Amino acid sequence: MKTKLYVLYGGKSVEHEVSLKTAVTVLLSIDESRFEVYPVYITRDGLWCTPGRLAKEGLTVERLIARPSYRDTASSIGEILSGVMALPGPKVVMPLLHGSNGEDGTVQGLMELLNVPYVGNGVLASALALDKAMSKEILAQAGIRQTDYRVCRFDEWSSDGMAVVRDVEARIGYPCYVKPASLGSSIGISRCTNRGELRAGIQEAFAYDKKLVFEREVAGREIQVAVIGNERPLASLPGEFIHDRAFFDYESKYMDKRLTMSIPAELSAGLTERIRELAVRAYRAHGCEGLARVDFFLDGEGELFLNEINALPGFTNFSMYPVMWERTDGTSYAALIEQLIGHAVARHEDKQTIRYSR
C-alpha cells in the first residue's frame, strides 16, 4: 500500500508566495510509485482546502490555489481532517509553510495531537528557531558566538521610543539591522545607517511583529550550512551566494537573476570543519529534528558569527539547502525528500514507545 503524503502549503503568512513556490517543486519531485499525494492549501486567511489530486504535467502555482468550502477556520480544518486526512493506511504530513502559522510550531502541535508523522522540526524547535530573540538566547547559552544584539517589544517602543533609539545607537551602533523577531525571507528587515533610517526601520518591522531584534552589522561573507537528521544530524559542505549588495533582501533572494551559488564555499579545510561542527551544535541546542539551515557571518579578519538558524529553509530545486546536499554527497532533490520523510516516520515511531499512563 502506498503511503499517503499530505502536503500543506500557502498559509496565513507574508511568506505565502514562497510556500507556493516550494510546494510546486516538491510536488513535481515526489515518487508517485511510493506515495499517494494529497495537496492541502491554506489560504491567506488561514482557511484549509484542497485542489484535489493534481497531475504533474503542467503543474503551476496557480493550479495549487483552491477555494475553501467554509468561511471559518475551524470548519475548514475539520473538513480536511475528517474528509481527506482520515483516509485509512499509512500517512505522513509534509508542512511547507514558511513563516508564521506554520513554521512556528502551530501546525506541528496540531500534527502531534493527531498523532501522525510529519516532516521537519517539532513544536519547540520550530518555535525557537522562528523567534530570533529566543533563538539568540539559546545560542548564547550554548556558547556560540553571535553579533551584538538587542531585543525590543512594542510596549517599550510605544512608551519611550527615543530612549530605545539612543540605546541602540550606544550599544549596537551603525550600520545596524532591525528585524521582526518571528519572520523569514528578509521581510520587514531594514539596514540602517543613521537615526532617520533606524526610526523608519522600526516602524516597518513593527508592522509585521510586536517584538524586534536589532543587530550590529558584520561586514564580510554570509556562509550557509544545511543540516539533516534526528539524533545524529549531519552537516553539508558550506555554501554562499555571490552578490554585491550591502543587504541581501527579499528581492535579492528571489528576483535577482545574477545570483550565483558557490558550493562548497572557498574556505580553508579547518574553517570548513569548524563551521560544520558549529552548525550541528546550534541544531542540537535548538532541539532540531529533520532539517534546518544554519547561517553564519565571516568577517574580514576571519572571525565567525552565527547569524540564525532556519527550521524550514527555502526548498525549491534552486534553493541553497537542497543544492548544498547535492554537491556534498550527490543526494538528488527527490532522494532528499524521501530522506526527510524517513526521518519523520522514524521520529514518530520512537514516540510511540512513550507511556502516557502509570
Side-chain angles (χ1 to χ4, degrees), residues 208-235:
Y208 295 101
D209 202 345
K210 295 304 178 184
K211 181 169 62 174
L212 309 185
V213 175
F214 302 94
E215 296 175 353
R216 179 179 65 85
E217 180 177 73
V218 177
R221 299 163 65 184
E222 300 175 54
I223 309 296
Q224 303 181 6
V225 181
V227 185
I228 193 171
N230 294 343
E231 292 84 3
R232 298 178 180 84
L234 300 174

Side-chain angles (χ1 to χ4, degrees), residues 123-355:
V123 176
L124 180 60
S126 297
L128 287 174
L130 191 64
D131 188 325
K132 296 178 178 66
M134 292 305 302
S135 177
K136 288 181 178 299
E137 292 291 326
I138 297 297
L139 293 171
Q141 291 182 29
I144 298 174
R145 190 177 186 185
Q146 309 169 74
T147 188
D148 296 332
Y149 70 94
R150 184 195 193 284
V151 177
C152 175
R153 296 181 181 272
F154 184 74
D155 61 343
E156 181 186 7
W157 169 252
S158 59
S159 297
D160 193 346
M162 199 60 231
V164 172
V165 169
R166 287 194 294 264
D167 190 54
V168 170
E169 291 176 333
R171 293 171 54 182
I172 309 297
Y174 299 111
C176 68
Y177 289 88
V178 54
K179 306 177 177 181
S182 299
L183 208 57
S185 296
S186 297
I187 296 171
I189 298 178
S190 299
R191 180 178 185 267
C192 309
T193 61
N194 56 57
R195 181 172 288 185
E197 291 177 353
L198 178 59
R199 291 180 68 90
I202 292 170
Q203 295 286 1
E204 170 73 6
F206 271 131
Y208 295 101
D209 202 345
K210 295 304 178 184
K211 181 169 62 174
L212 309 185
V213 175
F214 302 94
E215 296 175 353
R216 179 179 65 85
E217 180 177 73
V218 177
R221 299 163 65 184
E222 300 175 54
I223 309 296
Q224 303 181 6
V225 181
V227 185
I228 193 171
N230 294 343
E231 292 84 3
R232 298 178 180 84
L234 300 174
S236 72
L237 291 172
E240 66 181 316
F241 281 110
I242 306 301
H243 62 91
D244 57 2
R245 293 174 178 254
F247 173 31
F248 197 33
D249 58 9
Y250 182 91
E251 285 71 23
S252 304
K253 291 180 177 180
Y254 297 106
M255 301 177 189
D256 190 343
K257 304 300 183 183
R258 299 170 299 167
L259 281 179
T260 58
M261 295 180 183
S262 176
I263 307 173
E266 293 186 8
L267 302 165
S268 69
L271 186 54
T272 293
E273 287 311 304
R274 174 164 168 72
I275 289 171
R276 296 174 82 176
E277 182 268 332
L278 282 173
V280 170
R281 276 180 58 190
Y283 189 89
R284 284 179 163 152
H286 285 76
C288 290
E289 295 174 297
L291 79 162
R293 194 192 68 231
V294 186
D295 301 343
F296 296 87
F297 292 128
L298 180 65
D299 72 12
E301 298 179 357
E303 296 294 330
L304 196 62
F305 303 84
L306 198 148
N307 177 25
E308 64 182 33
I309 182 166
N310 191 320
L312 184 60
F315 208 83
T316 71
N317 50 358
F318 299 109
S319 298
M320 184 68 85
Y321 185 94
V323 176
M324 281 192 285
W325 278 118
E326 192 278 329
R327 297 189 187 178
T328 296
D329 59 13
T331 301
S332 68
Y333 188 92
L336 186 60
I337 291 173
E338 294 202 15
Q339 281 190 29
L340 292 171
I341 292 172
H343 288 308
V345 172
R347 177 180 63 189
H348 180 73
E349 290 176 348
D350 285 344
K351 284 188 174 181
Q352 303 317 298
T353 64
I354 296 174
R355 292 178 57 177

Side-chain angles (χ1 to χ4, degrees), residues 1-8 26-27 30-31 34-40 80 84-96 107 111 114-120 337-349:
M1 180 183 293
K2 293 182 183 179
T3 297
K4 292 175 175 61
L5 179 63
Y6 300 97
V7 179
L8 311 184
V26 168
L27 290 168
I30 292 170
D31 183 355
R34 297 190 57 199
F35 299 99
E36 194 172 317
V37 183
Y38 293 86
V40 177
I80 294 298
V84 180
M85 295 181 67
L87 295 171
K91 61 191 67 175
V92 64
V93 177
M94 191 169 193
L96 302 177
V107 166
M111 297 304 110
L114 296 174
N115 195 32
V116 295
Y118 58 94
V119 171
I337 291 173
E338 294 202 15
Q339 281 190 29
L340 292 171
I341 292 172
H343 288 308
V345 172
R347 177 180 63 189
H348 180 73
E349 290 176 348

